[in-house]
Every structure is written in structure tokens, then in C-alpha cells.
Amino acid sequence: MGQKPFLPRQPAAASISPRGFQTTSIAMDGNYRAPLKEMNFVLNDVFDVESHYKKMEHTGGSEVDSEFVMQVMEAHASFCEETLGPLNAVGDEHGCEWIDEHTVKTPPGYKEAYDIYVEGGWQGLSNSEEYGGQGLPYSLSLFAADMAATANFTWTMYPGLSKGCINTMVSHASDELKDKYLARLVSGEWTGTMCLTEPQCGSDLGQVSTKAVPQEDGTYKLTGTKIFISCGEHDLTDNIMHCVLARLPDAPEGTKGISLFLVPKRLVSEAGEVGELNGCKIGRIEDKMGCHGSSTCEINFEDAEGYMLGEENRGLNHMFTFINTSRVGTAVQGVAAAELSYQGALWYAKERLAMRSLSGKKNPDGPADPIIVHPTVRRLLLTQKVIAEAGRSMVYECGLINDERLEAEARGDDANAKALEDRLGFLTPILKGFLTEVGVEAANMGIQVYGGHGYIKSNRQEQIVRDSRISAVWEGTTQIQALDLLGRKILLEGKLKPINYHCSLLYKDCKDLMFSGASSSVKSHAWRLLKETASLHFNTYRIASKGQSNRDCIGLASQDYLMVAGYINMGHHWLKMEEAAAKKIASGEGDQAFYEAKMKSAEFYFENIFPRVASHKLTMHAPINSVMSMKEEEFSFDHAL
Ligand SMILES: Cc1cc2nc3c(=O)[nH]c(=O)nc-3n(C[C@H](O)[C@H](O)[C@H](O)COP(=O)(O)OP(=O)(O)OC[C@H]3O[C@@H](n4cnc5c(N)ncnc54)[C@H](O)[C@@H]3O)c2cc1C
């Protein structure tokens, strides 16, 4: 392998020379270290990506072997560690600067990093060669994005949003629009945005009021205000493609009357020359809690020229191509927060001396023991570790399922493609909702490990909390993910089929392990997972039944339900990893200490984190009156609200 155009196009900074994989390493400078050994384990020992890619014959996988995968990851790791990581603090400190309504300056170094990224061909890694991409399977770009997001989530938003724009255009743009715009998005010459939110609505896009008026030449004139638009203006590229939700003049009300438009910042001539400014004016950039390096813009569209993507009034459906790309990208942010925070906290916990171990001195020659000896500090570190490692596995699995979906589509196997799309539709809210919640929690734990030094800016732990907090809000808040999972995907549209299917997969995996020659710990974890899966299955029917008399019961249960589904899914991944590690130990091959640690991490997960399911189950079934009986005026007697 190695014949792909990808390899010769590496930037100098991204060396592909082989090096030993490192474990999650000590990050005393707060900069990211790519956990290549972890990635190698998940990709090869848990998922056997080489066999997976062999089956991706129509989508660029047939020549991809595991050595090639790791070469690509090593090359990207160098870029992430050397270029993106050091910019993380710079972006936070400098933020973006609004110059005028068409000009926003990104932090120092952002443009240079972006140029290296573009030169390396990274943006089009998984896009079709037809548009100048590398033509490799989708999942490779997701694995690469995991590293970039951890090194510097804020910078990664610029190319990340472009990917959503590219996917949306590939699925919904006319051939004419594709020919004119796609190659320059795929190369990274231009970036893209998603423009959904308006001052009066974010979750409830049925209230979108931006207008799109048809013109005689087939274009549209858009007028309206969008707020909170990430990367809405910047100096990384000379043009930006906005994907905008708007209404035609006589469109029906609500979500059924929304169409999707491509609106360039600068108009592009037939010959492809970038010309005059379109009517997209930046009112302001937000002064926000974190992600300072990403410009969050108010964009006022004033008779801006736009082109319809897909069909009239089906814009929200089409936009879901973008939204789903971004939701998986946001799930990665949860994993990234846990990983980056863990890397710093692990170093600190080994260095910082405080008090003595209750079970006897561990550092008798020093004035005190390192804090890593204390059980409660260990629990913080291990929680971060198990969330990062299994979260990565959960995200990668979705990447591989998406490869299969794209392959089925390319083969013309529509039934299988639809089944895989439904499976992803089920998993995406779990990943987005659950992994961002536990990712933010893990980042918060990093501050706790550092004590007062975690609250101080120079140790860079507090930045992770500020940057990642938004992950549970944007791309649909956790509450919205919970409603999407339980209300829409499982009950309303799925008529319980998605949960039946999901549980059947887990039952099978657990039973196979319980009746195999697996170790006693694997068998015992499989049994516990089986029991909780059965309980989740039963509880779904119980909520469905309660919802028939009062739909608020579904809303109330939904967030705990999402968390239970998340802990079970994470447990499933710990089981897979434990089994893979146990096999390696039995074979005596490879780094035995690494696999032993993996077994211990699985044990920690099932003994310390998995029991959280019990408390979520209790609140999932809290009587509806305990929440809904309070009258609005009873919420407060002290304020005249
Ligand atoms: C930094 C940043 C970047 C952003 N980037 C973009 C971007 O690039 N493009 C874009 O279009 N938007 C973007 N957004 C907007 C973001 O997606 C929205 O803020 C988010 O979806 C929530 O919408 P909202 O703020 O209007 O809150 P609201 O919709 O007003 O919700 C307020 C609260 O009510 C809850 N709620 C609402 N309805 C329900 C319900 N039915 N059941 C239970 N709870 C409910 C919500 O969960 C939330 O807790 C960004 C926002 C920020 C802060």
C-alpha cells in the first residue's frame, strides 16, 4: 500500500517516518500528545480495520491496510502535535477580532496552520477524487479529526464546518453547483458554514424567518439575520460558502416551509473568478466563554444572492446531512475534552506531592507522596481515562458504520444503505448527547486534580472546560438529543424497532461472551451488561406506555434514558476492548503491560462508572407530578417574575 496521492503530498512538518507508538503520554507543557498506541489498539485489535477496509471496494478502501492507516495517523499526529497543539492557548488568549462587516481576523498562527493543512491535502482525505479529494474511506478522516480536535478543537472548527458543507453539497447540490464550488471546498481553498440559528430560535427551527425571494435568472435573494454562526467570517480563505435555511415567500409555516440555500461571501463568475462581495454583512462577533479562536458571527443577509440546494421546502431534511456530520464532530469534542484534560492531569498527579497515602508512605524519601496515590484522585484520573478511551471507540465504530453505508450506496444496495443510515440515526444522539455530557464532566475533573492550580489560567485545564462546555449546547442541546433519541427515533418514527434491534445486538454479543472460553471477568461484565440492556429494553416499553396517557412522561424520562443508553453503549465498548486485550494476553503477543492496563480499566468502568445506571433509572421513572405540579408562579415568591 502507499500508492495513494495522499502520501507524497505531506507537508514537511508532518513527517511520515515510522516511530514507536506512544501511550497517552505525560503532557507537562499542556500540549497534546497523540495517543497512537490507543488508536492502534482500537483500530486493529478491536475493530480489525484491515478486514473492514477490504470490503470497501467502491469507496476507496480495498487497498488500505493497517500499516497504511497508521502511517496516515502518524502523519496527522505530527501536524496536530507540532502545529495545532501549541496554537490552542494562543487562540484562547488572542481570540478573533472584528475589523469591519466583511473582515474578521483570526488569532496569530491560525492562517499558517490552515495553509499547512490545505497543502497536505487533509481536507479532502475522504472526499471523492472526482472533486480533487484523496478518495479514501470516510472513517479515516474521522480518526484524523479526533486528533485535531483534541489538539485544538477551536481551530478544527474551520475545516470541520467545511466538511459538513461539502457533504451537504455532495448529497443535495445540482451538478452545476457541484462543478462550480465543490473542488475548491474539498481542496480547502474555501471554507463553509451552517446558518440555522436566528435571534428568536435555535432548537425550534420551525420559527426560522429569513426570506428567500426567487429571481428571474433562477437565483434567490436572501434577507434576514442569523446569529451564533461559527467561523462565519475569517481571514483563512478568500471566500466562504454559507449554507442558509430560509423561507420562500408563500412557504407553509413551520419546518415544512424551510428551504436550503448556498450563499457565497463573494460572488463567483462563470469562469470561476472570485468577484464582488455578496450581501452578507457581519454585525458583530460574540464575546464568549470559550472557543475564542472561532469567530461566532451575527450575519445579516441583505439581498444576498443564493442558490437552492435540493428541493423547495425540504431544506431542514437536507440540512440534516450537515447537522449529522456536525453532531458526530461534536461527540468527538466530548472525547477530546476528556483526553486532553487527562493528559495534563496525569502528569500533574504524578508530580504534585501532598500528604501521605493512608496505606503507608509511597515516597518515603520525599516530603509527601504524589497525589496519584490517593484513591479519590485515582478515581478522577481513571474516570477521565475510561471516558476518553471508550468514547473514542464509540465514535470510531460510527465512522466504520458510515463507511459501510457509503459502500452500500455506491453498490446500489439501497435497502442495506437505509438500514445502516437508521442505525447511525439511532447512535448519533447517544454519541452527541452522552459523550459531550461525560466529556465536560471529565474536563471538570481535570481542574479538581490540579486543585487551585487547575483554576489558574497558566495550567490550561480551565480552558478545556470553557472550550468544551458548548459541546452539550450546540448542534442540539442534550435535551434535544434526548427527545430525538427517545421521542422521535425510537417511539414516533421507529415504533420501537431501533431499540429492539440495538438490544438484540447487545444480547448476542453478551451471550456469545458468556458462553465462550472468555476470562471470568469478561464473562461477569458481559452478564452485567446483558442485565442492564434487558432493563433498558423493558424501560423503553414502560415509558412508551406511560407516554400514552401523558406525553410529558416521555420528555421527563428522556434525558436519563439517553444517559442510560450511553453508559450501556460505553459498557459494550469496554467489553469489546477487554475481550480484545484478554486475547492478546492469552497469545503473549505485543505489549503485555498495555493489555493488562486495559483489563484494569474495564474493571474500573464496570465497578465505578457503570453503577450510575441505577440512579438514572430511578429518576427516569420519577412521578411526573414531582416535576410538573409546581405552578409557574410558585417557582419563586421573592421575585416578581
Ligand atoms: C458558540 C456558539 C456557536 C454556535 N454555532 C452555530 C452555528 O455555526 N450555526 C448555527 O446555526 N447555530 C450555531 N449556534 C447556535 C446553537 O446551535 C444554539 O444556541 C442551540 O441549538 C440552542 O438554541 P438556543 O440558543 O436558541 O436555545 P433555545 O432553543 O432557546 O433553548 C433554551 C433551552 O431550552 C431547552 N429547550 C428548548 N426546547 C426544548 C424542548 N422541547 N424540550 C426540552 N428542552 C427544550 C434547550 O435545551 C435549552 O436548554 C452556536 C451557538 C453558540 C453559543
Side-chain angles (χ1 to χ4, degrees):
M1 190 60 225
Q3 303 308 311
K4 288 274 171 192
F6 165 77
L7 288 174
R9 288 170 59 185
Q10 284 314 292
S15 158
I16 56 159
S17 62
R19 59 178 178 165
F21 300 140
Q22 52 192 74
T23 47
T24 299
S25 70
I26 295 170
M28 62 183 290
D29 54 4
N31 281 344
Y32 172 66
R33 303 287 187 276
L36 287 169
K37 189 160 192 167
E38 287 293 338
M39 292 171 72
N40 185 41
F41 171 71
V42 174
L43 293 174
N44 293 307
D45 298 334
V46 179
F47 290 122
D48 185 11
V49 286
E50 187 159 320
S51 308
H52 164 84
Y53 287 131
K54 291 277 168 289
K55 290 183 243 155
M56 304 300 121
E57 287 172 7
H58 298 79
T59 42
S62 52
E63 288 179 78
V64 176
D65 59 19
S66 62
E67 192 188 340
F68 177 78
V69 172
M70 291 317 295
Q71 276 183 346
V72 174
M73 292 308 125
E74 283 188 44
H76 203 60
S78 301
F79 169 66
C80 295
E81 290 175 353
E82 291 159 24
T83 306
L84 293 188
L87 276 183
N88 202 26
V90 178
D92 186 52
E93 204 175 303
H94 287 263
C96 292
E97 196 186 340
W98 185 94
I99 307 288
D100 62 38
E101 57 191 13
H102 300 293
T103 322
V104 169
K105 254 175 86 174
T106 55
Y110 264 46
K111 163 95 178 123
E112 290 75 9
Y114 187 77
D115 289 345
I116 293 174
Y117 176 86
V118 169
E119 208 183 304
W122 290 109
Q123 183 67 317
L125 186 67
S126 297
N127 289 116
S128 157
E129 283 160 322
E130 188 185 349
Y131 301 112
Q134 309 275 5
L136 289 164
Y138 160 86
S139 57
L140 279 173
S141 67
L142 187 66
F143 309 151
D146 166 25
M147 289 187 277
T150 316
N152 189 335
F153 186 83
T154 306
W155 180 92
T156 306
M157 288 172 68
Y158 292 89
L161 283 156
S162 300
K163 283 182 196 164
C165 179
I166 292 167
N167 292 347
T168 307
M169 290 199 63
V170 168
S171 299
H172 306 295
S174 64
D175 288 344
E176 194 187 338
L177 289 177
K178 282 182 186 163
D179 290 346
K180 194 163 172 185
Y181 297 100
L182 252 181
R184 292 162 95 171
L185 280 161
V186 168
S187 69
E189 182 184 344
W190 297 337
T191 60
T193 73
M194 62 191 298
C195 300
L196 284 63
T197 305
E198 297 186 1
Q200 75 286 3
C201 66
S203 308
D204 181 7
L205 293 170
Q207 295 185 50
V208 158
S209 67
T210 296
K211 290 266 167 295
V213 180
Q215 307 296 299
E216 281 183 1
D217 62 359
T219 64
Y220 295 80
K221 291 281 184 201
L222 276 81
T223 302
T225 296
K226 296 286 177 183
I227 61 165
F228 299 166
I229 304 309
S230 298
C231 313
E233 180 58 80
H234 56 76
D235 54 5
L236 304 185
T237 58
D238 68 356
N239 211 354
I240 304 172
M241 300 293 127
H242 302 294
C243 292
V244 187
L245 290 182
R247 281 178 192 286
L248 296 172
D250 46 6
E253 286 188 356
T255 52
K256 294 205 164 86
I258 298 175
S259 301
L260 176 60
F261 300 87
L262 185 74
V263 181
K265 168 184 167 179
R266 285 179 178 276
L267 296 172
V268 181
S269 74
E270 285 312 313
E273 284 157 358
V274 177
E276 64 191 85
L277 285 161
N278 201 357
C280 321
K281 297 183 180 166
I282 307 304
R284 61 166 193 274
I285 56 173
E286 303 297 345
D287 184 8
K288 54 194 192 293
M289 176 178 178
C291 293
H292 294 159
S294 152
S295 55
T296 308
C297 298
E298 175 193 83
I299 308 185
N300 296 305
F301 293 97
E302 294 175 7
D303 272 340
E305 186 168 309
Y307 321 105
M308 190 180 283
L309 295 174
E311 295 170 37
E312 254 181 52
N313 296 333
R314 295 202 18 95
L316 197 54
N317 293 55
H318 299 333
M319 197 71 193
F320 263 92
T321 307
F322 202 138
I323 294 171
N324 284 333
T325 309
S326 305
R327 284 186 175 169
V328 174
T330 308
V332 172
Q333 193 184 8
V335 179
E339 173 70 36
L340 190 59
S341 179
Y342 175 59
Q343 291 194 9
L346 177 59
W347 165 75
Y348 194 75
K350 289 178 178 173
E351 292 289 309
R352 180 71 172 173
L353 306 182
M355 302 177 69
R356 291 294 182 189
S357 160
L358 295 174
S359 55
K361 289 180 183 178
K362 301 294 183 294
N363 178 30
D365 298 335
D369 287 336
I371 59 173
I372 197 168
V373 305
H374 304 308
T376 45
V377 172
R378 289 185 151 241
R379 190 181 256 165
L380 293 172
L381 291 169
L382 285 165
T383 302
Q384 294 184 304
K385 179 174 165 61
V386 297
I387 288 171
E389 291 173 12
R392 179 173 301 115
S393 178
M394 288 162 74
V395 167
Y396 285 13
E397 180 190 45
C398 274
L400 299 174
I401 297 174
N402 200 37
D403 285 346
E404 290 171 18
R405 179 186 72 81
L406 292 166
E407 177 69 16
E409 240 175 47
R411 280 200 318 263
D413 182 353
D414 294 344
N416 197 21
K418 173 77 175 73
L420 290 161
E421 188 181 331
D422 289 349
R423 177 82 184 132
L424 283 172
F426 173 83
L427 291 173
T428 301
I430 301 178
L431 257 65
K432 196 298 184 177
F434 171 76
L435 287 179
T436 58
E437 288 289 333
V438 292
V440 172
E441 182 195 354
N444 219 354
M445 289 177 168
I447 294 189
Q448 203 66 19
V449 171
Y450 273 76
H453 297 270
Y455 198 70
I456 300 302
K457 283 203 161 199
S458 56
N459 283 314
R460 315 260 305 271
Q461 282 289 324
E462 55 83 48
Q463 186 194 338
I464 305 171
V465 174
R466 285 188 290 104
D467 285 353
S468 62
R469 180 62 185 87
I470 187 63
S471 64
V473 173
W474 62 19
E475 296 309 328
T477 61
T478 308
Q479 298 101 300
I480 297 300
Q481 302 303 322
L483 283 179
D484 182 45
L485 174 70
L486 181 61
R488 193 160 81 89
K489 301 275 172 51
I490 295 180
L491 299 179
L492 211 60
E493 289 177 2
K495 311 270 182 264
L496 295 161
K497 280 190 204 135
I499 192 69
N500 293 342
Y501 178 65
H502 180 66
C503 292
S504 72
L505 292 180
L506 267 67
Y507 292 149
K508 180 175 181 322
D509 280 5
C510 293
K511 278 195 283 181
D512 285 353
L513 284 175
M514 282 162 55
F515 298 109
S516 71
S519 69
S520 59
S521 77
V522 169
K523 284 183 176 177
S524 132
H525 296 152
W527 168 233
R528 289 178 60 187
L529 189 67
L530 182 81
K531 278 193 296 184
E532 288 303 352
T533 304
S535 169
L536 174 74
H537 205 170
F538 166 76
N539 279 319
T540 315
Y541 282 75
R542 189 172 159 198
I543 298 163
S545 153
K546 286 204 282 185
Q548 287 191 330
S549 52
N550 184 350
R551 288 211 170 178
D552 274 339
C553 293
I554 298 173
L556 181 59
S558 61
Q559 200 165 340
D560 286 303
Y561 184 92
L562 174 115
M563 295 306 284
V564 170
Y567 285 118
I568 288 179
N569 200 359
M570 191 167 257
H572 188 208
H573 283 260
W574 268 115
L575 196 61
K576 286 178 204 257
M577 291 193 284
E578 188 180 15
E579 166 66 352
K583 278 188 179 154
K584 285 289 190 185
I585 289 170
S587 75
E589 286 169 17
D591 182 348
Q592 295 289 298
F594 175 85
Y595 300 121
E596 292 287 354
K598 204 51 87 182
M599 304 286 287
K600 288 177 186 163
S601 297
E603 179 74 358
F604 174 83
Y605 181 79
F606 279 102
E607 295 305 332
N608 292 267
I609 306 296
F610 198 58
R612 293 177 180 193
V613 165
S615 118
H616 281 293
K617 279 198 299 193
L618 285 175
T619 43
M620 191 194 293
H621 293 299
I624 189 73
N625 273 349
S626 66
V627 173
M628 300 307 283
S629 67
M630 181 88 73
K631 295 187 187 117
E632 281 184 33
E633 57 273 23
E634 289 172 343
F635 271 78
S636 167
F637 290 101
D638 287 336
H639 312 288
L641 292 175

